[in-house]
Amino acid sequence: MTNKKKKKKNTKKQKNKWDKFDADQALADLENEDRPKDPGWRISKEPGTATIDCVGYDKSKEEVALDYELAQKAKSMKAMIRMRLQSTQDCKEKGNYLVKNKNWTKALECYSEGLELLSVARTAAPLMSDNLKRRVSSLYVALVNNSALCHLKQTHWKQTKILATEALKEESGNYKALCRRASALIALGEFENARKDIQAAIKAEPHKKVAQRLLKDLDEKAKQ
């Protein structure tokens, strides 16, 4: 037999072997390597919830394939979230520039666009690392808080109150949100609630002057 015929025959054998190769089973064998025969249990606890997972058991090739598919989807989702976060950050910076130029309406449009971009990331929180969750939360508070400022500057008291409240739901001691809501509450004549916010702001940041000025304004209005 010539070398050319031998090579062709070997190539055909290798192709047949590859056609018979079960990639899913190979992944399952790799996943199950060094696993104990008897499964164990793992308890995961988070505030308000607890889960019990079975660990250390042999997975079927279907389970391994599903795990791989889910891992790929999670990876793709995380990449999309990071891209949206960058776009959201760009909206925030553009809005901040417009705020410096007192263009409240255009700034508000930028913040609203940022919040829309961020909405998907907030729904995907279970897939995020703790650092990524903190980044999303911080960005959300900043966008909502800055939106409240734009409404405050346009004397939209009720909308300011609503947005500042949303920011405080995410970060209860946020100084800016407390001051902005207090300003809106004073304008709306809700003096008692305004005083509570001002006191909370002073407690959170005793050295800052905005809350101190608001307290003085509130006392003067209360005397009228």
Side-chain angles (χ1 to χ4, degrees):
M1 187 181 289
T2 63
N3 288 336
K4 189 174 182 180
K5 287 183 178 179
K6 284 182 180 178
K7 187 175 180 182
K8 189 174 181 181
K9 188 175 182 181
N10 289 336
T11 302
K12 189 175 181 180
K13 284 182 180 178
Q14 289 174 356
K15 186 179 179 182
N16 289 336
K17 285 181 180 179
W18 180 251
D19 288 341
K20 293 177 182 178
F21 178 69
D22 191 336
D24 289 340
Q25 186 60 54
L27 281 172
D29 292 341
L30 185 63
E31 178 77 15
N32 293 322
E33 190 177 16
D34 297 326
R35 286 183 181 275
K37 291 182 179 180
D38 297 324
W41 300 94
R42 176 180 62 200
I43 299 176
S44 303
K45 293 188 291 185
E46 293 183 6
T49 62
T51 58
I52 301 176
D53 301 314
C54 184
V55 295
Y57 69 95
D58 284 358
K59 294 183 179 180
S60 68
K61 66 179 183 180
E62 289 81 10
E63 287 177 305
V64 172
L66 180 60
D67 285 348
Y68 179 77
E69 183 183 351
L70 291 174
Q72 292 300 107
K73 286 183 177 179
K75 185 178 179 181
S76 176
M77 177 67 80
K78 287 177 182 177
M80 182 273 289
I81 287 170
R82 287 191 174 91
M83 183 174 67
R84 280 186 172 248
L85 284 178
Q86 185 55 57
S87 298
T88 302
Q89 182 67 33
D90 292 343
C91 288
K92 178 193 165 191
E93 290 174 4
K94 190 185 296 184
N96 290 351
Y97 173 79
L98 291 165
V99 162
K100 288 179 182 178
N101 289 280
K102 299 182 179 181
N103 193 337
W104 314 117
T105 302
K106 289 292 184 183
L108 191 56
E109 289 176 5
C110 290
Y111 296 140
S112 297
E113 183 182 348
L115 285 167
E116 188 174 344
L117 286 167
L118 198 62
S119 62
V120 173
R122 281 170 59 78
T123 60
L127 296 173
M128 298 180 198
S129 65
D130 289 341
N131 285 338
L132 197 54
K133 284 179 185 176
R134 283 192 289 270
R135 184 182 171 193
V136 169
S137 177
S138 177
L139 199 48
Y140 175 76
V141 170
L143 288 168
V144 175
N145 226 346
N146 291 354
S147 298
L149 172 65
C150 291
H151 282 291
L152 181 66
K153 292 296 184 179
Q154 296 176 91
T155 65
H156 301 159
W157 310 124
K158 289 184 178 179
Q159 197 61 30
T160 301
K161 176 185 172 181
I162 290 169
L163 287 166
T165 300
E166 281 300 309
L168 290 165
K169 285 178 183 177
E170 190 80 9
E171 188 181 325
S172 60
N174 187 281
Y175 183 84
K176 289 180 179 179
L178 286 166
C179 289
R180 286 163 190 170
R181 188 168 71 174
S183 297
L185 290 170
I186 291 171
L188 292 168
E190 299 181 35
F191 297 153
E192 186 176 342
N193 288 331
R195 189 175 297 278
K196 288 178 182 177
D197 278 354
I198 293 169
Q199 288 171 344
I202 292 172
K203 184 177 180 181
E205 300 284 352
H207 303 296
K208 290 187 176 180
K209 296 180 179 179
V210 175
Q212 302 285 355
R213 287 199 299 268
L214 284 172
L215 182 60
K216 186 178 179 181
D217 290 344
L218 176 60
D219 287 340
E220 288 177 359
K221 284 186 177 292
K223 289 177 183 177
Q224 294 175 4

